[in-house]
Amino acid sequence: LKPFWLKPRRHPKLAIDTPSHSTMAIFQAIRAARIVPGSAVACRLLSTASVAGQAPAAASSMSQRKTALVGLEPLGKRNAGVSVLGCAIAMVAVGGCAQGIGQLFAALVVGMARNPSMKEDLFTYTLIGMGFLEFLAIVVILIAGLLLYSE
Protein backbone atom coordinates (compact mmCIF):
# COMPACT_ATOMS: atom_id res chain seq x y z
CA LEU A 1 0.00 0.00 0.00
CA LYS A 2 1.29 3.43 -0.94
CA PRO A 3 0.69 6.44 1.26
CA PHE A 4 -2.07 8.72 0.03
CA TRP A 5 0.36 11.47 -1.06
CA LEU A 6 2.14 9.10 -3.48
CA LYS A 7 -0.99 7.69 -5.11
CA PRO A 8 -1.95 9.29 -8.42
CA ARG A 9 -5.02 11.43 -7.95
CA ARG A 10 -7.44 12.81 -10.50
CA HIS A 11 -8.61 16.38 -10.38
CA PRO A 12 -12.40 16.25 -9.84
CA LYS A 13 -13.38 19.06 -12.22
CA LEU A 14 -10.66 18.93 -14.87
CA ALA A 15 -10.44 15.10 -15.16
CA ILE A 16 -6.63 15.16 -15.31
CA ASP A 17 -4.02 13.47 -13.19
CA THR A 18 -2.35 15.61 -10.56
CA PRO A 19 1.47 15.68 -10.62
CA SER A 20 3.30 12.90 -8.84
CA HIS A 21 5.89 13.35 -6.09
CA SER A 22 8.87 13.10 -8.47
CA THR A 23 7.33 15.60 -10.87
CA MET A 24 6.81 18.05 -8.02
CA ALA A 25 10.44 17.55 -6.95
CA ILE A 26 11.61 18.42 -10.46
CA PHE A 27 9.44 21.56 -10.48
CA GLN A 28 10.84 22.59 -7.10
CA ALA A 29 14.40 22.10 -8.37
CA ILE A 30 13.65 24.25 -11.42
CA ARG A 31 12.16 26.95 -9.19
CA ALA A 32 15.25 26.83 -6.94
CA ALA A 33 17.54 27.12 -9.95
CA ARG A 34 15.69 30.22 -11.12
CA ILE A 35 15.82 31.86 -7.70
CA VAL A 36 19.49 31.09 -7.06
CA PRO A 37 21.37 31.43 -10.36
CA GLY A 38 24.32 29.08 -10.59
CA SER A 39 22.81 26.69 -8.08
CA ALA A 40 25.00 23.61 -8.35
CA VAL A 41 22.56 21.32 -6.54
CA ALA A 42 19.65 22.05 -8.87
CA CYS A 43 21.88 21.81 -11.95
CA ARG A 44 23.23 18.47 -10.80
CA LEU A 45 19.72 17.20 -10.09
CA LEU A 46 18.39 18.21 -13.49
CA SER A 47 21.33 16.76 -15.39
CA THR A 48 21.21 13.31 -13.79
CA ALA A 49 20.34 10.29 -15.88
CA SER A 50 17.39 9.34 -13.67
CA VAL A 51 15.61 12.61 -14.41
CA ALA A 52 16.51 12.64 -18.09
CA GLY A 53 15.66 8.94 -18.49
CA GLN A 54 18.85 8.22 -20.46
CA ALA A 55 22.18 6.59 -19.71
CA PRO A 56 24.87 9.25 -19.42
CA ALA A 57 27.53 9.15 -22.12
CA ALA A 58 30.97 10.62 -21.43
CA ALA A 59 31.14 12.55 -24.71
CA SER A 60 27.66 13.99 -24.64
CA SER A 61 27.41 14.76 -20.91
CA MET A 62 28.18 18.43 -21.48
CA SER A 63 25.56 18.76 -24.21
CA GLN A 64 23.00 16.96 -22.03
CA ARG A 65 23.75 19.37 -19.18
CA LYS A 66 23.24 22.35 -21.49
CA THR A 67 19.95 20.99 -22.83
CA ALA A 68 18.76 20.22 -19.30
CA LEU A 69 19.38 23.81 -18.26
CA VAL A 70 17.52 25.48 -21.10
CA GLY A 71 15.12 28.00 -19.59
CA LEU A 72 16.85 28.11 -16.22
CA GLU A 73 18.74 31.32 -16.87
CA PRO A 74 17.78 34.21 -14.57
CA LEU A 75 15.00 36.31 -15.98
CA GLY A 76 16.56 39.18 -17.91
CA LYS A 77 13.34 41.05 -18.63
CA ARG A 78 12.13 43.38 -15.90
CA ASN A 79 8.40 43.29 -15.29
CA ALA A 80 7.90 46.99 -14.61
CA GLY A 81 4.11 46.83 -14.68
CA VAL A 82 3.94 44.52 -11.68
CA SER A 83 6.17 46.78 -9.60
CA VAL A 84 4.07 49.83 -10.51
CA LEU A 85 0.92 47.96 -9.49
CA GLY A 86 2.48 46.96 -6.17
CA CYS A 87 3.55 50.55 -5.54
CA ALA A 88 0.06 51.86 -6.37
CA ILE A 89 -1.62 49.36 -4.05
CA ALA A 90 0.77 50.30 -1.24
CA MET A 91 0.08 54.01 -1.80
CA VAL A 92 -3.60 53.43 -1.00
CA ALA A 93 -2.53 53.36 2.65
CA VAL A 94 -1.38 57.01 2.39
CA GLY A 95 -5.00 57.89 1.67
CA GLY A 96 -5.95 56.01 4.82
CA CYS A 97 -3.44 58.08 6.79
CA ALA A 98 -4.94 61.29 5.39
CA GLN A 99 -8.39 60.10 6.37
CA GLY A 100 -7.12 59.33 9.87
CA ILE A 101 -5.68 62.83 10.24
CA GLY A 102 -9.02 64.29 9.15
CA GLN A 103 -10.90 62.22 11.72
CA LEU A 104 -8.36 63.17 14.37
CA PHE A 105 -8.91 66.90 13.88
CA ALA A 106 -12.68 66.40 13.62
CA ALA A 107 -12.57 64.71 17.01
CA LEU A 108 -10.47 67.63 18.32
CA VAL A 109 -13.12 70.12 17.21
CA VAL A 110 -15.91 68.05 18.79
CA GLY A 111 -13.92 67.62 22.01
CA MET A 112 -13.16 71.34 22.26
CA ALA A 113 -16.84 72.16 21.65
CA ARG A 114 -17.89 69.84 24.48
CA ASN A 115 -15.25 70.92 26.98
CA PRO A 116 -13.39 74.14 26.11
CA SER A 117 -11.30 74.00 29.29
CA MET A 118 -9.48 70.87 28.01
CA LYS A 119 -8.40 72.67 24.83
CA GLU A 120 -4.60 72.51 25.44
CA ASP A 121 -4.60 68.85 26.52
CA LEU A 122 -6.76 67.77 23.59
CA PHE A 123 -4.50 69.64 21.16
CA THR A 124 -1.41 67.95 22.64
CA TYR A 125 -2.99 64.52 22.24
CA THR A 126 -4.03 65.41 18.70
CA LEU A 127 -0.48 66.37 17.76
CA ILE A 128 0.86 63.11 19.22
CA GLY A 129 -1.68 61.12 17.19
CA MET A 130 -0.85 63.13 14.08
CA GLY A 131 2.83 62.33 14.58
CA PHE A 132 2.04 58.61 14.66
CA LEU A 133 -0.05 58.89 11.51
CA GLU A 134 2.64 60.87 9.69
CA PHE A 135 5.23 58.26 10.67
CA LEU A 136 2.95 55.56 9.25
CA ALA A 137 2.54 57.54 6.02
CA ILE A 138 6.33 57.94 5.66
CA VAL A 139 6.87 54.20 6.21
CA VAL A 140 4.21 53.41 3.60
CA ILE A 141 5.87 55.75 1.09
CA LEU A 142 9.25 54.10 1.72
CA ILE A 143 7.78 50.62 1.20
CA ALA A 144 6.02 51.80 -1.97
CA GLY A 145 9.33 53.13 -3.29
CA LEU A 146 10.96 49.81 -2.45
CA LEU A 147 8.26 47.98 -4.38
CA LEU A 148 8.58 50.35 -7.31
CA TYR A 149 12.33 50.06 -7.75
CA SER A 150 12.84 46.42 -6.77
CA GLU A 151 13.35 43.74 -9.43
Side-chain angles (χ1 to χ4, degrees):
L1 282 171
K2 288 185 179 179
F4 69 93
W5 60 85
L6 292 179
K7 291 180 183 175
R9 298 177 303 273
R10 295 193 57 83
H11 193 277
K13 293 182 181 176
L14 300 177
I16 58 171
D17 289 333
T18 57
S20 66
H21 184 67
S22 61
T23 308
M24 294 303 291
I26 292 172
F27 285 141
Q28 288 173 353
I30 291 171
R31 191 176 304 125
R34 281 191 177 173
I35 292 171
V36 182
S39 173
V41 175
C43 295
R44 218 174 295 126
L45 174 66
L46 291 175
S47 64
T48 58
S50 63
V51 173
Q54 304 167 357
S60 65
S61 66
M62 205 55 179
S63 64
Q64 283 180 354
R65 182 169 292 155
K66 285 182 182 176
T67 57
L69 295 177
V70 170
L72 294 180
E73 296 85 20
L75 299 174
K77 186 172 76 169
R78 183 173 183 265
N79 296 323
V82 177
S83 61
V84 170
L85 274 174
C87 176
I89 291 170
M91 289 299 288
V92 170
V94 174
C97 292
Q99 181 183 7
I101 290 172
Q103 286 182 350
L104 195 64
F105 279 100
L108 172 68
V109 170
V110 170
M112 283 180 9
R114 286 176 181 240
N115 193 355
S117 64
M118 292 282 294
K119 179 177 165 180
E120 289 83 18
D121 292 336
L122 289 174
F123 191 69
T124 303
Y125 297 145
T126 302
L127 289 181
I128 291 171
M130 187 178 159
F132 282 125
L133 285 170
E134 286 294 324
F135 174 72
L136 179 66
I138 289 170
V139 168
V140 164
I141 289 171
L142 288 176
I143 291 174
L146 241 160
L147 288 172
L148 181 63
Y149 293 112
S150 64
E151 288 286 323

